[in-house]
Amino acid sequence: MTRTGDTDLTAQSTSEARAEAAITAGVQGLLFEDDLRPMPADVGFRGPTACSAAGITYRQLDYWARTGLVSPSVRPATGSGTQRLYGFRDVLLLKVIKRLLDAGISLQQIRTAIAHLSKRGIDDLTQITLMSDGASVYMCTSPDEVIDLLAGGQGVFGIALGGVWREVEGSLSELPTERADGHADGEGESHASDELAARRRARMTG
């Protein structure tokens, strides 16, 4: 378990507290059962689409891009008239930032947390639960770490990135995509949208 300020945290708890915490984590969906696949790296979403999926304003998106919090990874803005394209991972991070802001976490703490998440591969992200006590943000990479934080009182709330992934995937399945080469018409766009929609339907039907 890692606090996003690079400090290790060890929680001592009784077996009763751990058992209660395990039940809480299971009910809140904070444990790890996700098998999720990334989208193609050359498929992205324009700013307004990313805002819609993440639940943020375009002003927030623009500010976070200019300050380096979340930059468009598929295609950055390179001049007048160039459309920024955000990848699926970018939109996932935008959604996580929105959740943390809504929970009252400071932007400074969020920047530190996002910097740590940005260093991890896509596969790692789906196995991370962010926990917070309202002041610090902790990255848990196993169910035991989630339970220890809950039992020790450090985990006031948690965000399972696998769950956020599913939400973003569902939102983006109804929204337009664009390829990095600028081709938004025809096969490139429909294939990506169809793939997301198919994943969503498969999850809904079990």
Side-chain angles (χ1 to χ4, degrees), residues 177-188:
T177 61
E178 184 173 320
R179 297 208 311 268
D181 59 11
H183 293 155
D185 55 346
E187 192 173 337

Side-chain angles (χ1 to χ4, degrees), residues 37-205:
R37 296 171 297 157
M39 281 182 57
D42 65 340
V43 172
F45 306 88
R46 293 194 177 194
T49 301
C51 289
S52 178
I56 62 174
T57 66
Y58 193 84
R59 184 175 181 179
Q60 287 175 310
L61 181 80
D62 186 58
Y63 176 70
W64 295 343
R66 287 188 288 107
T67 57
L69 182 57
V70 177
S71 300
S73 61
V74 176
R75 188 174 67 211
T78 56
S80 178
T82 304
Q83 290 286 342
R84 291 179 295 199
L85 284 184
Y86 288 82
F88 183 91
R89 175 197 178 101
D90 304 329
V91 181
L92 178 70
L93 293 179
L94 291 170
K95 184 81 168 181
V96 169
I97 293 169
K98 177 65 163 56
R99 289 279 185 85
L100 292 172
L101 284 174
D102 288 347
I105 305 300
S106 71
L107 193 57
Q108 181 180 359
Q109 281 287 332
I110 291 172
R111 286 187 181 279
T112 304
I114 294 301
H116 280 263
L117 291 177
S118 297
K119 295 175 183 176
R120 292 181 173 267
I122 279 285
D123 292 338
D124 288 341
L125 289 181
T126 64
Q127 300 300 312
I128 291 174
T129 292
L130 294 180
M131 302 292 293
S132 178
D133 53 10
S136 298
V137 180
Y138 307 86
M139 286 196 305
C140 299
T141 55
S142 74
D144 284 343
E145 291 178 351
V146 173
I147 293 167
D148 283 344
L149 271 180
L150 288 171
Q154 287 92 352
V156 175
F157 74 92
I159 302 172
L161 297 198
V164 179
W165 181 301
R166 288 196 303 269
E167 290 181 29
V168 171
E169 192 174 77
S171 299
L172 291 175
S173 67
E174 307 297 332
L175 297 172
T177 61
E178 184 173 320
R179 297 208 311 268
D181 59 11
H183 293 155
D185 55 346
E187 192 173 337
E189 179 179 1
S190 61
H191 174 71
S193 297
D194 289 348
E195 181 179 354
L196 283 172
R199 293 184 195 180
R200 187 183 187 189
R201 287 194 299 270
R203 229 168 242 119
M204 292 176 65
T205 57

